Amino acid sequence: MTDKVRAIRQERKINELIRLPGNSQCADCCAKNPRWASYSLGVLLCMRCASLHRKMGTHISKVKSLSMDAWTSDQLQAMEHSGGNEQVNGRINPHPDQHPLPINVDDEMAMEHFIRQKWEKRSFEASTQVSPEVAVVAPTSSTSTADTSEPPAGQVVEDAMPNPFKQQPSLNPFLQISHEYMPPPPPPPPPSATNPFLTHASQPSVSPTHWWQQ
């Protein structure tokens, strides 16, 4: 195949890509008649947005000119399988009203931030957000454990209501009564007969002997 034939086929294939839905304008800023493309992302871009894609690096976006660069059949096939700017933007930014373009699209810094959020960080893709109508609040672990847990076999579960007849522990440590057995104290020893400190009342009484009784 000669270079002339290859160039003719490439031009015909590129014209088919331009007719895909949404490819009549830039995939990022909506400028008319884009002449650049990111074949790794499958979208057509204007010259300004193509330069911003190059700043992100080839690991994110690989950019080529539709008219000045040579295209391989695999690159053209990848662009065709993408479905065009409309389908790609529908996947990358499904809610453009929530993530609109910057107010001043001529501000290059604002556009670079928008493009990085869109393609590099993928912040606009549909997330796993749940609508309020179908959102279900999961019970906490403490609530579910209290509701579904059952006591083991043989275990007695006390009533949650306090028992007024049950002795409650005293908060005063000096008033706490020990439930252990305390033996009575030993009896005092008997008084000794030779104890000199015994009183007269404790000595045995002896009747005195008078002279007339002798």
Side-chain angles (χ1 to χ4, degrees):
M1 182 184 299
T2 62
D3 294 340
K4 185 177 181 180
V5 175
R6 186 180 295 106
I8 293 174
R9 290 187 176 182
Q10 174 179 320
E11 184 178 1
R12 185 186 308 121
K13 198 68 175 179
I14 288 176
N15 290 334
E16 293 177 0
L17 294 177
I18 295 174
R19 290 193 291 268
L20 290 177
N23 283 0
S24 60
Q25 58 186 10
C26 176
D28 289 334
C29 69
C30 301
K32 300 295 183 180
N33 300 321
R35 300 304 298 171
W36 291 76
S38 172
Y39 63 89
S40 61
L41 300 176
V43 293
L44 298 187
L45 305 167
C46 66
M47 182 181 295
R48 192 269 306 271
C49 292
S51 65
L52 296 177
H53 274 244
R54 278 182 172 171
K55 290 179 66 175
M56 292 190 297
T58 56
H59 63 290
I60 297 176
S61 181
K62 299 179 180 180
V63 178
K64 272 192 173 185
S65 171
L66 295 181
S67 56
M68 295 183 293
D69 295 328
W71 289 72
T72 64
S73 58
D74 294 338
Q75 294 169 355
L76 292 173
Q77 189 175 6
M79 291 290 299
E80 184 179 5
H81 288 170
S82 69
N85 291 357
E86 185 175 330
Q87 291 190 20
V88 175
N89 278 332
R91 296 190 298 266
I92 301 300
N93 188 10
H95 304 289
D97 53 336
Q98 299 179 9
H99 310 287
L101 282 170
I103 298 177
N104 185 10
V105 293
D106 295 330
D107 187 351
E108 188 169 349
M109 293 185 61
M111 279 303 302
E112 181 179 358
H113 176 75
F114 175 82
I115 289 174
R116 287 186 179 275
Q117 291 290 324
K118 179 180 178 181
W119 300 106
E120 183 178 7
K121 298 183 179 180
R122 299 298 178 99
S123 301
F124 303 159
E125 286 184 342
S127 59
T128 57
Q129 296 179 356
V130 182
S131 60
E133 291 79 4
V134 297
V136 178
V137 179
T140 60
S141 59
S142 60
T143 305
S144 59
T145 304
D147 295 338
T148 59
S149 61
E150 295 182 358
Q155 180 179 352
V156 179
V157 181
E158 296 185 358
D159 193 357
M161 296 297 293
N163 188 353
F165 301 101
K166 183 179 180 181
Q167 182 179 3
Q168 301 296 332
S170 175
L171 298 179
N172 191 342
F174 299 101
L175 297 180
Q176 293 182 357
I177 301 176
S178 176
H179 296 284
E180 299 180 358
Y181 172 74
M182 297 295 293
S192 176
T194 60
N195 192 347
F197 298 99
L198 291 177
T199 60
H200 179 73
S202 62
Q203 296 292 339
S205 59
V206 179
S207 301
T209 303
H210 299 280
W211 60 269
W212 63 83
Q213 296 177 350
Q214 294 180 356

